[in-house]
Amino acid sequence: MATITIYLKYSGGDLQYSTDNVNYQVMAETSIVGANPGDTVMWTCADDSIDKINNINVGKTKSSGGNWKDIWSSKPAATDNTKRTFSGVVNTDPESPTNPALNGYDINYKIKNGDQKDKDPTIQVPQP
């Protein structure tokens, strides 16, 4: 079981992400960072362009032709009071999707100048 870290920064008027904290790209609805059952997914502010992550809301997901399932055994939550890192654990329940399924989530965050922002990408489980 791995830990997948998604580094976040606000640049060029949009939320950008990286999995190596070096190469960044705009986080779009179709941006996929894969996770497998049992993996921990962490979202963390890479620099001070983001003041804090207010919350990360996750929904249920389904594989093609399957039923809606909750893929999170531990929903994303702040790891401390600064709210600069959130962590969640992907479900290991055999009822969670076994075919690749996209799980949408919504990141609500506050940038350095005080503006509130929102982005709704997806994550694929299991990892592609």
Side-chain angles (χ1 to χ4, degrees):
M1 291 171 220
T3 297
I4 294 137
T5 303
I6 302 171
Y7 299 93
L8 303 172
K9 71 179 181 178
Y10 189 79
S11 180
D14 212 341
L15 183 64
Q16 298 195 7
Y17 82 101
S18 171
T19 54
D20 61 9
N21 203 13
V22 175
N23 301 302
Y24 281 84
Q25 58 188 333
V26 171
M27 184 172 267
E29 184 179 348
T30 55
S31 298
I32 294 174
V33 175
N36 289 313
D39 284 354
T40 298
V41 181
M42 295 186 75
W43 295 263
T44 190
C45 300
D47 60 22
D48 66 355
S49 64
I50 298 175
D51 182 45
K52 68 177 179 176
I53 301 168
N54 295 319
N55 57 50
I56 297 178
N57 295 316
V58 294
K60 293 185 182 244
T61 191
K62 72 175 181 174
S63 52
S64 57
N67 294 323
W68 288 96
K69 305 283 183 193
D70 189 345
I71 68 162
W72 300 94
S73 61
S74 168
K75 293 201 186 299
T79 59
D80 63 27
N81 288 339
T82 66
K83 297 183 88 173
R84 292 184 53 79
T85 299
F86 273 59
S87 176
V89 178
V90 177
N91 204 337
T92 56
D93 185 322
E95 290 295 312
S96 61
T98 52
N99 297 323
L102 298 180
N103 178 257
Y105 61 99
D106 183 70
I107 303 173
N108 180 276
Y109 59 101
K110 179 179 164 188
I111 60 173
K112 189 167 150 179
N113 72 4
D115 287 352
Q116 302 292 329
K117 300 288 183 179
D118 200 74
K119 201 73 171 184
D120 57 347
T122 56
I123 192 163
Q124 182 172 334
V125 177
Q127 185 170 329

